[in-house]
Structures are given as C-alpha cells and as structure tokens.
C-alpha cells in the first residue's frame, strides 16, 4: 500500500468492503447564502452576505477575530437561524431545519470529542444515532480509522491521543455520517506550528479524496491561501472579496483585503488623472501610477498599494513606466533567503502619510548590496504592480 | 506532617493536629462508639448496670425482625426513601440541566435564588405550610373544586402521598446542586456536536449529558436518600398512622420507651442501611469515593 507524505495510505484497498462504498461521498451539494444577515440584539454580526459555494469545493472564510466567521458557520449548520435571508443546501431552503436534520457536519473550534467514549465510539456516534447495528458500526469506524491512519487506536480514550490525532478523530467522526458539507471552525488553531502545517496537507488530501464540500474558517491567511479553492475575506460581518487565493493576494478588491492579506505598502493621495484601466495619484512621494481596479475618479482620495517584493532598487534612469521614490534606508532585517528594508522619505515625513513607512523586500541572490542605514536609496516599482483603490479602512496590524 | 511543620511551625501544627483529633474523637468517634456499645446491651435499671445481667447481646437487633409492625415500617421507609429519591431525580435533572446549560448566567442566578429563598425558612414551618395546603379543607382542594377538576375534596394527608410531596420539596436543593455542579463543567459544544451528528434530545442526554453528570447524580441520590430515611419532621407532620417512618420508631424507643439500647440498635440499623445504599449507588453509577468527594 502506497503511503502518502501525509502519513496515511492513499490507496484504500480493503476499505471498499463496506457495501462497496468508497470514501467519495455521493453528491456533495451547493451551498447558497442569499442576503443573509445575523443580528444579536442591536449588534449586526453578519451583514447582508450573498455567496454560492460549489459542490466539492474547498472554501475558506478568512477574517480577523470577531468578524462573524463562526456565526456564518453556525447558521449553515443550523444552530442559529439567520435574522434575514435564506440559506440553501442543494437548492433546498434550510429554514426551520435543525442541526440534526441537515446534511452538514461541524468540526468545532475545540473539536468537542466525547471524552467518556472510546475513539471508535466517538467515530461511530453518528451511526449509532441512525440505528446502525453495533457490528457494522464498529466495522465502519475501523475503516475510517484506517483513513486517518489511526488503525490501532479504536479502544483508546480520547484523552490518550495527541492533539493531531484528536484532530483526525474529529474529522473521522464527522465523515462517518457522510455529510454533504463539512464545516470546520479553525480546527487547527490549537495545534503547534509544525503539526498545523502537516494537518493542512492532510485536510486538503482528505477533502480531495472524499469530494465533500469543505467550508473552512480561519484567521490565518497562510492556511486559507494554501488550502482553499476560493477564499472569502471578511471584516466586521461584511464580505470584502471572494476570489481564488492568488487573486486575493495579487488583486485585492478593498483596502482591507490589501492590508489584511500579506504585507503591503500604502500611499494615500488625490487622484490626478485616469486613463483607461490606469490612474495616477498625487502623494507625498510625488505622482504614482497604478491599476485603477475599481474605477476611482479624478479628485477622489485614493490609496495605492504596492507589495514589498515588487519594489526594486533603481539606478539612474528607470523606465518611464516606473514609479520612483527617493527614500532613505532606516534599517535592514535580514531573514536569510531575503531581507526586509525599512525605508523613510528622504526629506520629510511625507511617506508616513498613511501611517506606515515603506518596506521593500530583496531576495538574497548575491546582489544584495552592502546597505548602510541612512543611505539614500532610489526605489521603484512598475505601475502594473500597484493597485489603486478608493480610500477605505485598512486592516489593523 | 513534616511539610505542615515546615509551613506553619511546630506550635501551630501541633495545635491543628490536636484540635482535629479532639474534634474527631470527642464529636465523631465517641458518640458512635457509645451508641454501638449501648446497642449491644440490655436495657437495665441503674442498679443492675455493671451487674450479672449486664452482658453483650444482639437481642436489640433481633427485635426489629421479630416485631412485624416495626419491620413493616422499616421496609416502608426504605421504599419511601427510594421513591422520594427517584421523584427528586426526575424533578431536579431538568432543572439542573436548564440552570447549567440552557439559561443565561443572569437567568440562572435568578432561578437559583428563587430555589434557595424558601430554604431560608425553617423546615418545620415549610412542612406546616404543606400541611395547610394539603389539608382536607385546604386551599388545594378548594382550588381544584373551584375549577371543577374534582367534585369531592381529596384526603391527601392519609397515606404516603403527602409525606412524599413534603420530602421531595424539602430535599430539592440537595439533588439540584450536585447535578448542577457536575453539569456546569460539561462543554456545551459536546451537546451541540451530538446534535450536529443527528442525535435527538433523549440520546444526547443518555450518551453525553448523563455520563458526564453521573457523579453529581450519585451524590444527589445519596444525599436525598439519607436525608429522606432519616427525616423526622416531615413524616411526623405530614404522615398519618398508616405511613409511619422508621425515625419515629427510633424516637419512641429513646424518648417514650426510655429504652436507649433498643433505640441505639435501631438507629444503627438505619446507619447501616444508608451505608449499603451508598455502596449500591457507587456500584450502579460506577463512581469511586473520590468522584463523590468532588
Ligand atoms: N450568541 C451571541 N450573542 C451575542 N453576540 C454574539 C453571539 N455570538 C457571536 N456574537 C458576536 O458576534 C461577533 C462575531 O462572532 P463570531 O463568533 O462569529 O466571530 P469569529 O469571526 O468566529 O471570531 P473568532 O475568530 O474569534 O472565533 C462577535 O463580536 C461576537 O461578540
Ligand atoms: Mg470563531
């Protein structure tokens, strides 16, 4: 049996014995949120969210703590009814259908395994509820234990397992009821970094193999970007952007997304000119040009974002298409394969208009010059590497 | 011991040790020892004590099994105590669950207060209140008659019924609190996880809540049973001639019969009964002494 890098067999021979079923769970279904709003008293936790999650997709909600991620998950799983709007699973309106009747399985932030049951009883609980006879339950539990590479642990107590093993038992327990949708609420947040990275790969692999729709919640952008087919970035109950991982990073739709996901340099200024898909703004660093993503108009206040790794040192005459900043080196953080250069405006505090200095990332490819703090550095970036968005709230750092 | 000396010094340590010894010996061991000692001796006039008639015997214990009436009351007390315990459990489990897992903290505090307030009033008074409520010409009958639920008043105070009601009411807190305590530590997510996996309410309780609350349930049952079988006020106020309680007979031996040895033997039998009940409960709920102590 081939072993995957994730520590469990990828070829599932012997597992198909269960009534010929394999792990691919039939007919996962679309989930649709239609103008969903959730209020707790006067407080709006989720505001007018509309989106469709496709069958078999790995979909993540990414956002800072308290932005309403768990609330969305609890509405999909049926523990909370939305104050307004409709949730549909497979086209069916879920209003009034309790969590025990929905084709969803929720993995809790703290896993919520049953400590007084053995591992296999935990996994088979959903089947027990459905009246599956004990022998069959046990067999199915063993198969799922196989899937999560914990074959010997059936009779153990949950407390005897390590964090990562518990994690996998929680997944097996949810998979046992053959849900159409798996809902995962920051399931990796309790694990240490190494294990977290390992489990990312495992979760992704389990999702691929079962074909179940995964809705994954996290405040860790690395997690969201590496695992997901698509990511929804949220802030204060509002969806900011729904895109593929790379688009979220390369083509942010709002200032919040631009600053919440990854590092970004921010320049605030007045829009001077708009030509086609491009715009030019007047900042403390002079005129800067970038892509006019959302169509800002002349005279508006706008923000220009440029990623630190897109900034370059320029010598003498850069191309006319380059934006050029004359900066002074503050200090250098050497990170090994690359270095972060922290830069200030040469003359005044103009560069810190948006409250942030300028960060530039240089790869350590031998060309990293001998940099002296206080040295004047001309820095440039291409207009296509900069995004201009209408002024709006940034992510808190 | 050495740790204690290190921590508190020799003086304070010896004081604590001596004080606890005195307390245990004088107030716990000695009275019991005297009671046991009494119970194995015949009831003699003062002149005969220490004389040839004063020898150890188990006659006092045998009396219970020879006296049909007393033995019947004894069995009735066990049955009554068990019934009170069971009813209390049925009443208190939902209350405890609601307090611990459903109600908001403010609401739980308010409900707890409501539960506790009646217990600021003396037990005798509370029991008399029930006596008045359940009286033949009392408000309950009047109420039921007024709404034509019954046409003839019911005689609640003959038979065991009133005693049961009075006791369930008197011991509610002793059942609610241990269960509430045990349930408080249950992670609510486990209840939700079970529901999410499709479990109906009864199964959530059977498989998740009750196993978790087991030590609390055991403690509640033990306390309620012990309080019920050793209760004197409730049966003597609400009981009738055909619902006598074993404690009443013990009282009779001591204070009406002036037969202390006989009374001691009966009291000791009651104590044994309670110990047996504790052991049975520990068996049934598969909990250890340490779980109960928690
Ligand atoms: N039952 C509730 N009653 C009142 N307010 C609530 C309730 N549940 C959530 N909230 C509020 O709604 C907001 C969103 O909560 P939610 O749990 O969805 O956040 P989250 O994005 O999951 O955060 P985290 O990453 O910390 O888990 C929070 O401000 C929270 O205080
Ligand atoms: Mg949350």
């Amino acid at each position: 049996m081939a072993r995957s890098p994730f520590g469990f067999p990828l070829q599932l021979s012997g597992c198909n014995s269960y009534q010929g079923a394999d792990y691919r769970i039939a007919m996962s279904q679309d989930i649709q949120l239609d103008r969903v709003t959730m209020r707790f008293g006067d407080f709006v936790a989720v505001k007018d969210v509309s989106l469709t999650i496709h069958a078999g997709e790995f979909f993540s909600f990414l956002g800072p703590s308290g932005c309403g991620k768990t609330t969305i998950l609890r509405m999909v799983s049926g523990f909370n009814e939305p104050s307004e709007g409709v949730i549909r699973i497979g086209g069916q309106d879920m209003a009034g259908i309790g969590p025990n009747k929905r084709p969803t399985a929720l993995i809790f932030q703290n896993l919520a395994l049953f400590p007084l049951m053995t591992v296999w009883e935990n996994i088979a609980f959903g089947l027990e509820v459905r009246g599956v006879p004990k022998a069959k339950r046990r067999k199915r539990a063993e198969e799922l234990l196989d899937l999560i590479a914990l074959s010997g642990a059936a009779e153990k107590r949950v407390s005897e397992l390590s964090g990562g093993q518990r994690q996998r038992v929680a997944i097996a327990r949810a998979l046992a009821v053959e849900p159409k949708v798996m809902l995962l609420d920051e399931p990796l947040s309790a694990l240490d970094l190494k294990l977290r990275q390992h489990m990312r790969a495992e979760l992704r692999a389990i999702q691929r193999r079962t074909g179940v729709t995964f809705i994954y919640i996290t405040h860790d952008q690395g997690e969201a970007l590496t695992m997901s087919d698509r990511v929804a970035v949220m802030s204060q109950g509002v969806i900011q952007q729904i895109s593929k991982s790379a688009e979220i990073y390369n083509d942010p739709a709002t200032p919040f997304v631009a600053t919440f996901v990854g590092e970004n340099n921010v320049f605030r200024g007045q829009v001077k000119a708009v030509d086609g898909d491009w715009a030019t703004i007047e900042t403390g660093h002079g005129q800067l040009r970038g892509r006019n993503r959302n169509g800002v108009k002349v005279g508006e206040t706008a923000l220009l974002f440029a990623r630190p790794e897109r900034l370059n040192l320029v010598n003498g005459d850069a191309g006319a298409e380059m934006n050029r900043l004359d900066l002074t080196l503050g200090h250098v953080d050497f990170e090994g394969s690359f270095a972060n250069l922290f830069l200030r405006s040469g003359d005044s505090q103009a560069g810190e208009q948006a409250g942030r200095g300028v960060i530039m990332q240089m790869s350590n490819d031998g060309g990293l010059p001998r940099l002296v703090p206080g040295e004047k550095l001309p820095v440039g970036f291409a207009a296509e590497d900069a995004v201009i968005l209408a002024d709006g709230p940034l992510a808190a750092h | 011991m050495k740790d204690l000396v290190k921590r508190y010094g020799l003086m304070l340590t010896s004081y604590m040790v001596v004080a606890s010894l005195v307390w245990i010996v004088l107030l716990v061991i000695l009275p019991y020892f005297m009671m046991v000692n009494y119970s194995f001796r015949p009831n003699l006039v003062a002149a005969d004590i220490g004389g040839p008639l004063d020898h150890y015997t188990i006659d006092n214990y045998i009396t219970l099994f020879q006296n049909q009436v007393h033995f019947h009351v004894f069995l009735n007390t066990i049955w009554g105590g068990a019934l009170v315990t069971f009813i209390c459990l049925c009443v208190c489990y939902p209350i405890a669950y609601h307090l611990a897992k459903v109600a908001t903290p403010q609401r739980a505090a308010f409900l707890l207060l409501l539960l506790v307030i009646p217990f600021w009033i003396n037990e005798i008074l509370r029991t008399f209140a029930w006596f008045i409520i359940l009286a033949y010409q009392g408000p309950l009958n009047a109420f039921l008659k007024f709404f034509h639920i019954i046409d003839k008043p019911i005689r609640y105070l003959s038979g065991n019924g009133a005693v049961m009601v009075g006791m369930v009411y008197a011991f509610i807190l002793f059942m609610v609190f241990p269960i509430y305590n045990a349930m408080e530590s249950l992670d609510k997510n486990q209840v939700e996880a079970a529901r999410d996996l499709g479990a109906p309410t009864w199964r959530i309780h059977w498989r998740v809540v009750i196993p978790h609350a087991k030590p609390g349930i055991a403690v509640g049952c033990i306390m309620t049973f012990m309080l019920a079988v050793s209760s004197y006020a409730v049966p003597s106020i609400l009981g009738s001639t055909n619902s006598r309680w074993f404690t009443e007979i013990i009282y009779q031996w001591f204070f009406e019969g002036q037969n202390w040895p006989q009374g001691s033997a009966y009291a000791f039998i009651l104590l044994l009964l309670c110990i047996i009940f504790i052991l049975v409960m520990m068996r049934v709920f598969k909990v250890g002494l340490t779980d109960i102590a928690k």
Side-chain angles (χ1 to χ4, degrees), chain A residues 114-123 153-158:
Chain A
F114 306 125
L116 299 174
M117 299 182 199
T118 59
V119 165
W120 86 263
E121 283 177 317
N122 261 282
I123 294 175
E155 294 293 346
K156 283 193 180 163
R157 294 263 157 187
V158 174

Side-chain angles (χ1 to χ4, degrees), chain A residues 74 100 106 110 128 130, chain B residues 187 189 192 196-197 207:
Chain A
R74 290 179 63 84
N100 50 349
L106 178 59
N110 68 351
E128 181 187 327
R130 286 159 179 74
Chain B
D187 175 11
N189 283 348
E192 294 198 334
D196 191 57
L197 290 167
R207 292 289 272 142

Side-chain angles (χ1 to χ4, degrees), chain A residues 152-189:
Chain A
E155 294 293 346
K156 283 193 180 163
R157 294 263 157 187
V158 174
S159 56
E160 294 169 81
L161 301 181
S162 72
Q165 290 171 331
R166 282 180 211 183
Q167 187 62 62
R168 285 181 280 174
V169 171
I171 291 164
R173 183 177 73 173
L175 283 174
V177 300
E178 312 206 342
K180 307 240 157 64
V181 186
M182 282 272 261
L183 308 167
L184 301 97
D185 190 354
E186 307 201 27
L188 306 185
S189 56

Side-chain angles (χ1 to χ4, degrees), chain A residues 216-232:
Chain A
Y216 191 92
I217 277 191
T218 179
H219 60 255
D220 179 332
Q221 43 174 298
E223 244 169 66
L225 297 182
T226 49
M227 291 198 288
S228 324
D229 295 318
R230 284 191 303 156
V231 179

Side-chain angles (χ1 to χ4, degrees), chain A residues 318-329:
Chain A
E321 276 300 293
M322 284 292 256
N323 292 298
R324 197 185 151 107
L325 311 167
D326 287 308
L327 301 169
T328 307
L329 183 61

Side-chain angles (χ1 to χ4, degrees), chain A residues 249-287:
Chain A
Y249 188 84
N250 292 330
D251 189 26
T254 68
F256 178 86
V257 177
T259 45
F260 185 72
V261 181
E263 282 288 341
N264 231 331
N265 291 303
V266 190
F267 305 93
R268 178 177 274 116
Q270 287 261 314
V271 181
K272 282 282 154 217
V274 174
D275 53 304
D277 291 342
W278 305 91
T280 307
I281 65 172
E282 180 72 44
T283 72
H285 295 279
Q287 296 207 342

